Amino acid sequence: MDVTLIVNPFSTNVTEQRVREVEDVLAPSRTVLTEHAGHATELAAAAAGADAIVVFGGDGSANEVLNGLAGDAPVGFLPGGGTSVLARALGLPRDPVGAARQVADALVGGRMRRISLGRVNGRRFSFAAGIGFAAEVVRRVDKLGRSADGRRPGDIAYMATVASVVGRRRGRFEPSLEIAGLGRAAFALVANGDPYTYAGSAAVHVAPEAQFELGLDLVAPVSVGPLDVPRLLACVFRGRGLIEADDVRYGHDLDRIEVSCDRPLPLQADGEDLGDADHVVFEAERSAVSVLI
């Protein structure tokens, strides 16, 4: 079987030893290493004739591969990032070698799952996107830079950044955008599956009804005050999400979400900063790709 293994050597949990162990399990036809931002997209496009593509890296690497797919080859995801939301949400273990064994078994047994993807202003995303608060956090984490070996800050830095953003605003987020057909909101979180992300080992359930086989779910608080923050955080960590709150705009299994902002706001997809935007269209790409599970 012709299998291309795409590896991001700068991802947090990717080492030369782990790459060798993954290769021993998968026996890929070729292993290619990413060299710069966007390279995984190019490598995925070049692997269009492969029987399968497996990516060993973080969520950013997975996102790039999904945006480079040119054929209908199934894709496997090995958790090499600090969080690796997509691989974990698909049920794979956090250990990349253990995940490689499951992907290898799926290859042999033809075991696949057809999932939907999201698009934000034309760019694909796998598990989550958003404009406003969450995207601002992503941007601030990126500004912390990388370590000498190219690795990003981990979960502790991420949670500290969340606290910093909330504290800087004194826990208050006023309406700053308009969601077509739903009304005003402070920020918008769009989920293609559940959980929305992870905080260490804890799953963050923003939209617990979201499923990879369905359309997109929208969660958008109308406004957030200092007294609301503990209540909202308790909901997401208890698994109830924000869908039952009276002060939250919610939509389930949607094909299209259009957002107009009062001013340009940070935009993110799969934890990647996409710059500022004042008009955003989120779209569901149903039954878009087969994943090895």
Side-chain angles (χ1 to χ4, degrees):
M1 183 175 290
D2 185 355
V3 178
T4 295
L5 175 63
I6 298 175
V7 179
N8 182 352
F10 300 107
S11 291
T12 302
N13 291 316
V14 174
T15 65
E16 291 184 11
Q17 177 64 31
R18 283 178 175 157
V19 172
R20 287 193 294 269
E21 292 173 346
V22 164
E23 288 178 319
D24 288 342
V25 172
L26 288 173
S29 307
R30 66 195 65 80
T31 299
V32 289
L33 306 182
T34 63
E35 299 175 357
H36 53 77
H39 196 197
T41 298
E42 300 169 13
L43 295 174
D51 294 320
I53 298 172
V54 179
V55 53
F56 181 19
D59 289 311
S61 303
N63 180 278
E64 288 190 9
V65 166
L66 290 171
N67 277 281
L69 293 179
D72 200 32
V75 187
F77 302 97
L78 308 183
T83 307
S84 293
V85 177
L86 177 59
R88 294 165 68 183
L90 289 172
L92 291 166
R94 297 186 72 175
D95 169 42
V97 180
R101 292 192 185 99
Q102 291 195 15
V103 168
D105 287 345
L107 279 167
V108 172
R111 191 171 65 250
M112 291 175 281
R113 177 181 176 185
R114 195 76 180 175
I115 67 169
S116 299
L117 295 174
R119 286 184 180 271
V120 52
N121 286 358
R123 182 184 177 90
R124 278 178 160 178
F125 63 92
S126 61
F127 59 91
I131 186 160
F133 168 59
E136 182 180 349
V137 171
V138 166
R139 180 170 299 174
R140 288 180 174 273
V141 171
D142 283 348
K143 286 183 178 179
L144 296 176
R146 294 175 179 258
S147 60
D149 58 5
R151 284 157 171 73
R152 279 180 161 180
D155 288 325
I156 294 176
Y158 184 88
M159 295 306 295
T161 303
V162 170
S164 173
V165 172
V166 172
R168 189 173 62 86
R169 293 176 174 268
R170 298 182 179 179
R172 188 171 299 281
F173 296 83
E174 300 295 343
S176 59
L177 51 84
E178 179 82 17
I179 302 168
L182 290 177
R184 301 278 291 167
F187 52 86
L189 309 173
V190 177
N192 188 48
D194 177 65
Y196 190 85
T197 188
Y198 290 86
S201 60
V204 178
H205 300 283
V206 170
E209 292 184 352
Q211 298 180 36
F212 282 116
E213 287 79 10
L214 300 179
L216 301 175
D217 278 28
L218 167 74
V219 175
V222 176
S223 63
V224 178
L227 298 179
D228 298 317
V229 173
R231 171 176 59 87
L232 297 177
L233 288 175
C235 287
V236 300
F237 282 107
R238 284 203 302 263
R240 292 165 48 200
L242 304 180
I243 62 177
E244 296 178 354
D246 294 335
D247 53 352
V248 173
R249 311 287 189 195
Y250 175 66
H252 173 60
D253 192 17
L254 304 176
D255 283 301
R256 179 183 171 90
I257 303 162
E258 186 171 356
V259 178
S260 299
C261 307
D262 297 349
R263 62 185 184 283
L265 295 175
L267 177 68
Q268 69 88 18
D270 287 344
E272 297 295 303
D273 185 359
L274 302 184
D276 289 346
D278 57 11
H279 183 263
V280 183
V281 176
F282 301 91
E283 296 173 294
E285 186 180 349
R286 294 180 184 263
S287 191
V289 63
S290 294
V291 295
L292 296 160
I293 58 168

